[in-house]
Amino acid sequence: METVIKQSGKTQAIKEKANKVMGISLEDAKLTKSYLSVAFLAILLGGILGLLQGLNRAGMFELPAWLNYYQVLTAHGLLLVVVLSAFFTIGYFYAGLSHTLGGLLPKVRKMAWIGFWMKIFGFVLAVIPILMNEASVMYTFYPPMAASPIFYIGLVFIVLGVWMCAFGAFINVASWRKRNPGQHIPILSFFATGVFVLLFFGSIPVAIEVFTIIPWAFGWVETINVMVARTLFWAFGHTLVNIWYLTAVSAWYVIVPKVIGGRRWNDLLTRIVVIALVIMNITGGFHHQIIDPGISEPVKYMHVFMSLAIGFPSLMTAYAMFAVFERTARRKGGKGLVGWYKKLPWGDVRFLAPFIAMAAFIPAGAGGIAQTTNQLNQVVHNTMWVVGHFHLTLGMSVVMTFFGLSYWLIPYVSKRVLTPQINKLGVIQTIIWTLGMIIMSGAMHWVGLLGSPRRTSYSTYFDNATALSWDPYLFFLAIGGTLLMIGVLMQVYAVFYLMFFAPKGNTEFPIAEVEEDEAPTPRWTERWGLWVVCMIVLVGMAYVIPLVDFIVNAPPGSPPYKTW
Amino acid sequence: MMHRSEKVWLILSFGMIIGFMLIAGYQAFAFEMGPPSYGERIDPQKVDETPPFDKPGIKKIGENEYEVVMTLQVFSFTTSEIEVPAGSTVHFTLTSKDVVHGFQVAETNLNAMVVPGYVQKITQKFDKPGEYLVLCNEYCGAGHQMMSTTITVK
């Protein structure tokens, strides 16, 4: 990944200074604006679909035959899990790369645009069969259910577009390192490097899976190895979860301390958290297969340990965040054991939204640790509990962090300012969103424990008493979903107002400095090659045994089925 | 670099994760409470002619002990509407004839993925009388929300 640097060091240095003073260049700004626009349009569409599901699941609303529950659910998943998360992550980190590395290289910008259009093209290809009811296979598209081949070809383009952006980021970071020998990658770009490493390596398994599915979906190959496909999917599926999580975590460590007027947590520990998450992440995906057949219990147990290990850097983060809050508040004169909390800027949406997002990760992370623990998974696997869990993690911790970022990131790229009115709107939106998610996710967790399954349209199972007893809980899905819809509309309004109508002005890109007396970070944290090797070794340890077993001792494969 | 309180926190965190591992591991391997992991292979297109699935049904195999052989297919369970006396231990042997299905019984810990090409086994003791709802918890197509049956414990 070598690049030719056309500018001499001196002009580059001047450019970097200008970049810090003048803000983002118009070309880089346009890129991020486009990515964020798509992300928030995705949440608008995905939110509307989510509301339809909530109303249906509560038994209050029958979907028409031309748009059934499973079509809606597939689209909802793709829009929010793939489009929103990928487009926001890339838009935000590309702005961060531009800001911290002295602008994007022209070549990298071009790559990001090519990636942008590839992803859009891929998404359109994937959506057409969904709308035609040719691909009601959910975000997980488990074989031997077979969607239209066009759906999978669309997914290939989405993955290729993501890879373009990942390589663009690597090239930009490599070029900066060449120009700044002996320096550490700026912290936000360090996070970006971690995220793009995960995006690239994490999507390799799903790319392999899709390449085996396409000929089978076309009918050129008769059967498919179901367990190999499933395992490859989850090697990617949970990595994606941790990609958007790591994106949110970057904001917690780097942005939020600055917003509250403090300094960021210890640089070395922050980088260790990034490295740990990058190394350990891909192997965590296996916990989606804890009650699958054909995997021996000792192998599952090893995977449980690998999954639980991911909790450790998150627990480090929990400490770090509250330590930063307390330290900052005490410097501002906060007193008492917990009385210092009064000194935090609760009325500032740029703090309030990510703070509630972090607080939500306490139950969300705890639930995650519980449900990944071997036989405990059996109690909740594929029930509504799991849906409740990822609406806390993704819907609260991650998406609310994204919302909080948008209140300065969008003015920053639009050369506008956040107005007090929009800040107030944001605070109200945050409260509505929080209430909606607590009501919906709480009910989902509870009814899941009672046995209500996920990914199932409203059903009384022929008036079964047990199923009927779930209805009061499912009613809360409609209430929560309605609040969330109001939240989506407010948020999308705020985003596009800040993008096109807010008063012109300069908005700062808030990156917190380290404490003054901090020891310099050791050089070894920069050895990305080593971290990638460690990651690959761990992935090998986790996946070689089951995958070889599934391939060598494969049963006869399965033909494609269209069961919808 | 690290405060004492942080070290305490990290030790507690690490201890919690290891504690989870030890308890879950002990239960799984000493009491056989581990997740269903049976792995016998079967040709998914020849389920009907492969024993034991050529004769799905319920068989009494001991004092208060039953074996249920069941196939899952869109959108039903064969054997369905099982009846056993209270206090019975039931061993389920399952496979799928088409796509991936889930085998879940509400108000119990019965929960297993049933994947074409693989035989899955899971066991449960039914102490409390009542009608238990059996359902598919893995999306399997247009009639997924209809795929259910019952186990009656008398």
Side-chain angles (χ1 to χ4, degrees):
Chain A
M1 281 181 288
E2 293 300 301
T3 69
V4 182
I5 301 154
K6 292 205 175 75
Q7 295 143 326
S8 71
K10 200 167 176 185
T11 50
Q12 187 59 34
I14 292 168
K15 263 189 76 175
E16 281 180 33
K17 274 210 178 69
N19 201 32
K20 288 271 193 295
V21 177
M22 307 284 292
I24 191 166
S25 79
L26 286 175
E27 296 147 309
D28 295 1
K30 193 175 163 204
L31 181 73
T32 291
K33 265 195 281 195
S34 307
Y35 268 97
L36 295 182
S37 299
V38 173
F40 283 100
L41 288 173
I43 204 168
L44 180 63
L45 281 173
I48 293 167
L49 297 175
L51 177 64
L52 295 180
Q53 287 153 228
L55 293 176
N56 171 283
R57 197 61 206 263
M60 297 158 70
F61 178 71
E62 188 111 12
L63 281 153
W66 51 268
L67 186 71
N68 69 62
Y69 185 84
Y70 301 113
Q71 271 175 292
V72 170
L73 191 44
T74 304
H76 173 82
L78 268 184
L79 278 165
L80 298 181
V81 168
V82 179
V83 181
L84 164 72
S85 74
F87 277 81
F88 190 96
T89 295
I90 294 166
Y92 157 73
F93 275 128
Y94 263 77
L97 290 168
S98 164
H99 177 72
T100 58
L101 305 180
L104 299 174
L105 301 171
K107 177 164 102 180
V108 169
R109 205 180 306 117
K110 190 179 266 176
M111 287 173 80
W113 277 117
I114 295 170
F116 178 86
W117 290 112
M118 280 174 115
K119 288 194 287 284
I120 296 280
F121 177 68
F123 181 68
V124 169
L125 277 190
V127 158
I128 291 167
I130 294 174
L131 290 176
M132 291 164 67
N133 202 20
E134 293 291 324
S136 301
V137 288
M138 307 285 149
Y139 148 74
T140 46
F141 55 93
Y142 296 134
M145 272 194 191
S148 149
I150 306 293
F151 173 79
Y152 304 110
I153 292 167
L155 298 183
V156 171
F157 276 97
I158 293 176
V159 170
L160 291 175
V162 165
W163 285 359
M164 283 302 272
C165 295
F167 282 112
F170 298 150
I171 289 168
N172 224 62
V173 169
S175 133
W176 183 90
R177 281 172 78 160
K178 230 204 211 109
R179 292 197 309 268
N180 299 276
Q183 287 204 46
H184 286 281
I185 302 175
I187 188 69
L188 194 61
S189 293
F190 192 87
F191 270 99
T193 307
V195 161
F196 285 115
V197 164
L198 277 179
L199 262 175
F200 173 64
F201 284 96
S203 50
I204 290 174
V206 78
I208 297 169
E209 183 202 8
V210 168
F211 276 117
T212 59
I213 288 179
I214 288 173
W216 170 76
F218 270 113
W220 307 330
V221 177
E222 272 182 30
T223 62
I224 197 161
N225 188 321
V226 175
M227 279 311 277
V228 169
R230 205 175 148 81
T231 307
L232 287 173
F233 180 84
W234 282 117
F236 150 85
H238 208 86
T239 311
L240 186 64
V241 171
N242 283 290
I243 284 162
W244 64 58
Y245 168 63
L246 190 54
T247 306
V249 169
S250 78
W252 301 352
Y253 273 104
V254 182
I255 311 291
V256 173
K258 179 79 176 175
V259 167
I260 62 174
R263 288 174 176 271
R264 65 186 171 88
W265 186 243
N266 179 290
D267 186 67
L268 170 60
L269 289 173
T270 307
R271 288 175 199 251
I272 287 174
V273 164
V274 178
I275 293 164
L277 283 171
V278 167
I279 290 174
M280 297 197 292
N281 237 318
I282 295 177
T283 56
F286 212 84
H287 62 225
H288 291 256
Q289 297 178 266
I290 289 177
I291 63 170
D292 278 16
I295 305 156
S296 73
E297 281 201 43
V299 170
K300 284 182 181 179
Y301 187 70
M302 174 187 77
H303 274 282
V304 167
F305 183 66
M306 287 181 170
S307 288
L308 284 172
I310 303 172
F312 198 66
S314 295
L315 289 157
M316 284 174 74
T317 301
Y319 181 93
M321 292 305 104
F322 281 93
V324 166
F325 296 150
E326 185 186 8
R327 197 184 287 165
T328 307
R330 287 203 191 284
R331 278 182 195 155
K332 296 187 171 188
K335 293 275 184 294
L337 186 63
V338 287
W340 48 262
Y341 79 89
K342 295 181 194 130
K343 292 286 175 192
L344 292 170
W346 298 104
D348 184 342
V349 68
R350 299 168 311 150
F351 164 70
L352 183 69
F355 177 84
I356 295 180
M358 287 178 212
F361 206 73
I362 298 169
I369 288 173
Q371 75 194 19
T372 199
T373 304
N374 216 32
Q375 60 268 31
L376 282 184
N377 180 260
Q378 198 179 315
V379 182
V380 294
H381 178 84
N382 269 0
T383 67
M384 284 300 270
W385 162 285
V386 179
V387 188
H389 165 73
F390 65 70
H391 278 87
L392 274 188
T393 50
L394 176 57
M396 285 271 275
S397 298
V398 174
V399 169
M400 275 181 89
T401 302
F402 289 179
F403 289 174
L405 288 172
S406 69
Y407 289 98
W408 61 261
L409 180 57
I410 292 184
Y412 168 80
V413 291
S414 312
K415 314 267 189 212
R416 295 177 188 275
V417 290
L418 171 63
T419 61
Q421 294 83 351
I422 292 291
N423 178 61
K424 193 163 184 177
L425 176 102
V427 169
I428 296 166
Q429 193 276 344
T430 303
I431 293 164
I432 291 176
W433 191 266
T434 305
L435 286 174
M437 270 304 171
I438 288 173
I439 291 169
M440 188 173 85
S441 167
M444 284 171 168
H445 274 90
W446 197 266
V447 80
L449 283 177
L450 299 177
S452 183
R454 68 184 290 196
R455 289 178 159 176
T456 307
S457 68
Y458 180 71
S459 174
T460 60
Y461 294 106
F462 313 104
D463 289 337
N464 179 285
T466 307
L468 288 169
S469 74
W470 298 331
D471 282 4
Y473 300 94
L474 293 169
F475 179 66
F476 284 99
L477 270 57
I479 297 172
T482 307
L483 285 170
L484 290 167
M485 190 66 234
I486 297 166
V488 164
L489 292 172
M490 287 171 82
Q491 181 62 36
V492 171
Y493 169 79
V495 162
F496 289 106
Y497 176 83
L498 289 171
M499 208 178 274
F500 299 113
F501 305 108
K504 293 225 176 262
N506 261 338
T507 294
E508 165 202 40
F509 196 113
I511 292 194
E513 300 291 330
V514 289
E515 297 287 346
E516 280 168 14
D517 55 356
E518 198 170 287
T521 308
R523 292 286 314 148
W524 55 258
T525 52
E526 292 292 322
R527 301 185 57 184
W528 277 99
L530 178 64
W531 311 139
V532 170
V533 169
C534 290
M535 177 182 82
I536 292 169
V537 168
L538 200 64
V539 170
M541 278 170 60
Y543 279 107
V544 168
I545 299 172
L547 275 176
V548 166
D549 188 30
F550 288 141
I551 294 166
V552 174
N553 302 314
S558 287
Y561 290 96
K562 182 173 181 285
T563 54
W564 64 91
Chain B
M1 178 178 111
M2 282 214 196
H3 297 270
R4 212 183 79 185
S5 61
E6 187 179 11
K7 283 185 185 145
V8 170
W9 169 257
L10 291 183
I11 289 164
L12 286 175
S13 302
F14 190 73
M16 178 183 74
I17 287 174
I18 295 299
F20 269 61
M21 285 304 296
L22 290 173
I23 295 166
Y26 182 69
Q27 286 187 327
F29 298 107
F31 297 124
E32 295 185 350
M33 285 184 182
S37 308
Y38 194 72
E40 196 183 319
R41 272 58 167 173
I42 183 171
D43 186 337
Q45 296 185 70
K46 297 195 176 122
V47 171
D48 284 339
E49 56 244 55
T50 312
F53 299 102
D54 54 345
K55 295 192 189 77
I58 179 161
K59 204 163 76 192
K60 191 165 183 183
I61 53 170
E63 184 73 31
N64 279 343
E65 206 155 352
Y66 294 85
E67 187 183 27
V68 172
V69 174
M70 191 185 265
T71 62
L72 286 75
Q73 56 277 309
V74 287
F75 299 100
S76 64
F77 299 87
T78 318
T79 323
S80 58
E81 291 167 12
I82 296 160
E83 288 191 15
V84 290
S88 303
T89 300
V90 184
H91 305 279
F92 296 90
T93 304
L94 315 153
T95 196
S96 164
K97 284 162 68 170
D98 40 51
V99 296
V100 180
H101 293 285
F103 174 79
Q104 187 198 322
V105 182
E107 295 164 329
T108 72
N109 285 342
L110 279 171
N111 194 352
M113 289 281 92
V114 182
V115 179
Y118 293 81
V119 179
Q120 178 68 293
K121 288 193 176 196
I122 191 162
T123 298
Q124 176 79 29
K125 188 163 183 274
F126 291 91
D127 285 321
K128 227 175 84 195
E131 191 185 76
Y132 289 82
L133 173 63
V134 183
L135 56 87
C136 171
N137 67 6
E138 182 63 82
Y139 167 70
C140 55
H144 165 62
Q145 70 282 354
M146 300 307 211
M147 187 166 163
S148 66
T149 181
T150 53
I151 297 172
T152 308
V153 178
K154 288 196 293 240

